[in-house]
Amino acid sequence: MASGNKPIVVMCNNGIGRTGMFITLHTQLERLKIEGVIDVFQFIKFARKQREGLVSSPEMYAFCHEALADYVDSFETYANFKELV
């Protein structure tokens, strides 16, 4: 069981592709909760200074954008659902 105060270890076969997507999504969702902002480009630019090649393909980059957009779009769906109940 995970605790909010302990580090999370994430690893895929090369440590930059799927790991990079997970880290990008996790950090941007946390940033959204705290600051109300998402900036995938700037995060990946920053993170690549520590881990070259993070989010290693255009498809992975697009997936991060799509997943975060779907998450944000779900707010409207659930808000409308609550009004119907």
Side-chain angles (χ1 to χ4, degrees), residues 23 42-52 54:
I23 293 168
Q42 287 299 325
F43 173 75
I44 293 174
K45 183 178 172 184
F46 166 78
R48 282 182 174 172
K49 291 177 183 176
Q50 298 173 36
R51 182 73 174 170
E52 189 176 330
L54 206 68

Side-chain angles (χ1 to χ4, degrees), residues 10 14 17 27-28 48 57 81:
V10 181
N14 64 5
T27 58
Q28 293 308 291
R48 282 182 174 172
S57 73
F81 178 74

Side-chain angles (χ1 to χ4, degrees), residues 31-70:
R31 186 171 182 203
L32 178 63
K33 288 181 204 173
I34 295 167
E35 300 176 35
V37 174
I38 294 174
D39 192 338
V40 174
F41 177 78
Q42 287 299 325
F43 173 75
I44 293 174
K45 183 178 172 184
F46 166 78
R48 282 182 174 172
K49 291 177 183 176
Q50 298 173 36
R51 182 73 174 170
E52 189 176 330
L54 206 68
V55 183
S56 57
S57 73
E59 293 81 13
M60 290 180 175
Y61 183 81
F63 176 82
C64 290
H65 274 277
E66 291 169 19
L68 291 165
D70 286 348

Side-chain angles (χ1 to χ4, degrees), residues 11-29:
M11 187 63 182
C12 61
N13 64 337
N14 64 5
I16 59 174
R18 290 165 289 180
T19 299
M21 288 193 313
F22 178 86
I23 293 168
T24 299
L25 293 172
H26 178 73
T27 58
Q28 293 308 291
L29 291 174

